[in-house]
Amino acid sequence: MNSEKAEPTAKAALLSALKMARKLSRSTVMSELVVGGQSNRADIVLANDRLSCFEIKTHADTLVRLPKQLDTFTRCFDETTVVAASKHLSAVRALVPDFVGVMELAGAPKAPEIIVHRQASTSSHLSVEFLLQLLPADRLRLVLGGRGLPKKRADLMQHAQAMSIEDARAAVIAFLRDRYRVSSKAFASGAQRSVKCKDLLRLRRLHRIEASTLDDNEAQEWEIFQYVGQSFGQAPPEIIKAFTKV
């Protein structure tokens, strides 16, 4: 399996395992959530009364970026778990703090099995400043009281310094639930007992495609296309048309 298709396959396997463990029933589910800049994305995030992040490292990935990712994720999310291919397992165990969860992508890359080696516990690095990075400036201004406050994020953060972790978390969860409610509900209603790659399309907040019309290979290609499109700008109309049901 090539590197581009490994990611959606692993993500579907993870969501299947979380679904079987009843971790999704009361959660808003997000895929590729931007955290602290476009170059930093959390593979899967769950929001209920807490925020949980899952970072996937397939057999085709390296661990070069993992320390920096964990430095950010453990400051934003109550719980962070690394989901790693078997070949990375020893290195991941050596890299991550004790409170970071560890799961293994075991077996064949085309049909990985999720093995839980350590459940995540509450991060000791949580930061109000990092949590509030998950809010756009206009929402942050509203949370802080609205009228009379500056427009620039840097100035708003000066007003947010006294906010508690609990209040910052509640504000972020409310925002994420509102923003991703429709896509998360579409995913929950469409995915069966075992999550397929095509079910991931429903987690695209502005998706225009019916996932039921695609097989898993086509769904993987669409997932790759969407991700590349975010990196390199709007695709030509004829390419979009080829992937989109009119």
Side-chain angles (χ1 to χ4, degrees):
M1 174 177 288
N2 62 38
S3 59
E4 291 86 359
K5 292 185 177 182
E7 182 85 7
T9 300
K11 197 178 291 185
L14 170 62
L15 287 167
S16 290
L18 293 173
K19 188 178 180 70
M20 289 286 290
R22 300 183 182 276
K23 301 288 188 180
L24 304 185
S25 58
R26 297 175 58 191
S27 298
T28 299
V29 184
M30 291 148 278
S31 175
E32 298 295 334
L33 182 68
V34 175
V35 183
Q38 287 290 329
S39 63
N40 216 13
R41 295 169 182 268
D43 289 317
I44 294 293
V45 172
L46 307 182
N48 36 65
D49 57 339
R50 294 163 66 82
L51 292 167
S52 302
C53 166
F54 298 84
E55 176 59 26
I56 295 171
K57 296 299 181 186
T58 71
H59 68 284
D61 293 323
T62 72
L63 303 182
V64 172
R65 296 177 61 237
L66 185 59
K68 185 175 181 181
Q69 289 172 317
L70 289 178
D71 184 61
T72 297
F73 296 159
T74 58
R75 294 173 191 269
C76 291
F77 302 110
D78 296 291
E79 296 175 352
T80 298
T81 299
V82 178
V83 186
S86 299
K87 75 172 191 177
H88 296 311
L89 193 59
S90 295
V92 166
R93 285 178 177 273
L95 274 172
V96 305
D98 291 343
F99 57 82
V100 171
V102 178
M103 294 182 177
E104 180 182 359
L105 287 164
K110 290 184 178 181
E113 176 190 357
I114 301 294
I115 299 175
V116 179
H117 288 275
R118 184 171 70 210
Q119 294 283 2
S121 55
T122 301
S123 172
S124 59
H125 297 171
L126 287 173
S127 159
V128 169
E129 179 183 357
F130 275 73
L131 257 173
L132 294 179
Q133 287 180 5
L134 295 170
L135 297 181
D138 58 347
R139 184 66 173 243
L140 178 56
R141 190 181 307 111
L142 183 64
V143 167
L144 293 173
R147 291 183 180 180
L149 291 175
K151 293 184 177 182
K152 291 184 178 180
R153 171 175 288 278
D155 296 329
L156 288 169
M157 288 304 300
Q158 293 295 319
H159 290 264
Q161 286 182 351
M163 184 178 286
S164 68
I165 287 286
E166 291 74 17
D167 288 343
R169 179 194 294 115
V172 168
I173 289 173
F175 167 72
L176 293 176
R177 282 179 166 172
D178 182 48
R179 186 178 180 89
Y180 293 95
R181 180 180 64 254
V182 173
S183 56
S184 183
K185 186 176 180 179
F187 168 77
S189 63
Q192 301 302 313
R193 183 180 179 87
S194 177
V195 177
K196 304 297 184 183
C197 289
K198 65 182 181 180
D199 297 320
L200 301 177
L201 305 184
R202 295 186 175 92
L203 291 175
R204 294 293 182 182
R205 194 167 62 90
L206 300 176
H207 74 276
R208 295 175 54 202
I209 192 166
E210 289 292 337
S212 60
T213 66
L214 302 182
D215 62 26
D216 272 359
N217 285 334
E218 291 170 323
Q220 289 171 330
E221 290 169 0
W222 173 253
E223 182 81 0
I224 296 163
F225 164 72
Q226 289 280 76
Y227 188 84
V228 171
Q230 291 171 355
S231 301
F232 295 98
Q234 181 66 44
E238 62 271 19
I239 300 298
I240 295 176
K241 184 177 180 181
F243 278 101
T244 306
K245 181 178 179 180
V246 178

